[in-house]
Amino acid sequence: MAGLAAVGLFGVSCSAGGTGTRDEGPARSDPVAAKVDPTPQPTSSAPAADGSSVPAARTDPVELLKNDPKVSETVKRDLKPCVKDIYPVDASYGKVTGNTSDDVIVNVMTCGDAVGIGSYVFREDNGRYTNVFVAEEPAVYASIDRGDLVVTRPEYKKGDAVAFPSGEVVVTYRWMGQKFVEHDKVENSYSKAVGNGDKQGEVQSPDLDAEKKKRAEPTPVAPARTDKAGDTPTPEG
């Protein structure tokens, strides 16, 4: 018998019609080869012999990122294991594109402080995955909420520390045929009354120890006054 044919990786460059770091346009047909498994696995849930549900097959999100031409070279360059073979990658499986199989939502973060640097949605079609959403910006994070794609990103103003942004923007996207369309947007503004206390404009915490010490000190008494020599001293006031 003839041997198995080798599986090739498909990859074409992104078109010039993107929108910067985030691509919310129609889903392109550039397939991304998933990690090859010598034993074919089902891509959707199926009932087991006892009637329970069998989880859908899972793919390797790191391989999806490495083989996808829509993932920037910057993200690919920083995509390295934090400890041994553990990558700073979160993967969620669920339905956000109306597909019969689970979509894969992948978030890439930094190793040190787990700050998001890229969020992606991969849609499965006959065992191949197509990248249908890209958001590459600081601290971005994508998740699934009741069938919708929710993308959260902080808003920084001049002088903001990384841990204390001025607010955040939460955008909900809904799949409409062949692309994600913005369905809802919430902008949250954070109070400057809390924070690291070292930056100008932030409220400093009161020194409670100094206040307690001040209250514990006895009230000073005014010295006695003598009007004439030999007179009995009379307390001041």
Side-chain angles (χ1 to χ4, degrees):
M1 292 180 65
L4 294 176
V7 180
L9 299 181
F10 295 86
V12 295
S13 59
C14 298
S15 65
T19 56
T21 57
R22 172 172 292 163
D23 186 348
E24 300 164 9
R28 294 182 174 83
S29 59
D30 310 336
V32 178
K35 188 175 183 180
V36 178
D37 190 332
T39 303
Q41 299 291 334
T43 57
S44 59
S45 300
D50 60 357
S52 60
S53 178
V54 177
R58 298 297 186 242
T59 188
D60 187 343
V62 176
E63 289 299 316
L64 290 180
L65 297 169
K66 289 181 177 180
N67 294 318
D68 183 15
K70 293 176 66 176
V71 177
S72 70
E73 292 302 321
T74 300
V75 172
K76 289 181 179 179
R77 183 176 62 249
D78 294 337
L79 189 60
K80 300 177 182 179
C82 297
V83 180
K84 294 183 179 180
D85 59 346
I86 301 177
Y87 286 81
V89 172
D90 286 349
S92 301
Y93 297 84
K95 293 178 175 59
V96 290
T97 68
N99 199 8
T100 55
S101 301
D102 284 347
D103 303 300
V104 186
I105 290 78
V106 182
N107 289 286
V108 182
M109 298 162 290
T110 60
C111 286
D113 45 15
V115 174
I117 58 176
S119 298
Y120 313 88
V121 178
F122 292 91
R123 192 172 193 266
E124 189 271 337
D125 184 19
N126 294 325
R128 290 189 172 87
Y129 291 85
T130 302
N131 190 339
V132 295
F133 182 89
V134 176
E136 294 179 339
E137 52 190 305
V140 66
Y141 199 89
S143 59
I144 303 174
D145 182 13
R146 289 168 291 185
D148 290 333
L149 175 66
V150 179
V151 179
T152 303
R153 62 177 177 81
E155 274 199 331
Y156 292 97
K157 294 183 179 180
K158 186 177 180 181
D160 285 349
V162 175
F164 301 101
S166 292
E168 72 172 1
V169 177
V170 181
V171 181
T172 301
Y173 295 94
R174 186 160 291 177
W175 184 258
M176 302 296 291
Q178 295 297 317
K179 64 179 181 179
F180 282 106
V181 176
E182 184 177 313
H183 175 69
D184 187 52
K185 183 177 182 180
V186 177
E187 298 184 12
N188 298 316
S189 181
Y190 297 151
S191 171
K192 288 297 182 182
V194 294
N196 58 10
D198 296 329
K199 304 179 70 61
Q200 184 178 1
E202 293 181 344
V203 177
Q204 301 291 334
S205 299
D207 190 342
L208 299 180
D209 291 338
E211 186 67 20
K212 291 179 180 179
K213 183 178 179 181
K214 181 179 179 181
R215 292 179 180 179
E217 292 177 351
T219 304
V221 179
R225 183 182 63 192
T226 303
D227 296 331
K228 295 181 181 180
D231 289 349
T232 302
T234 303
E236 186 78 7

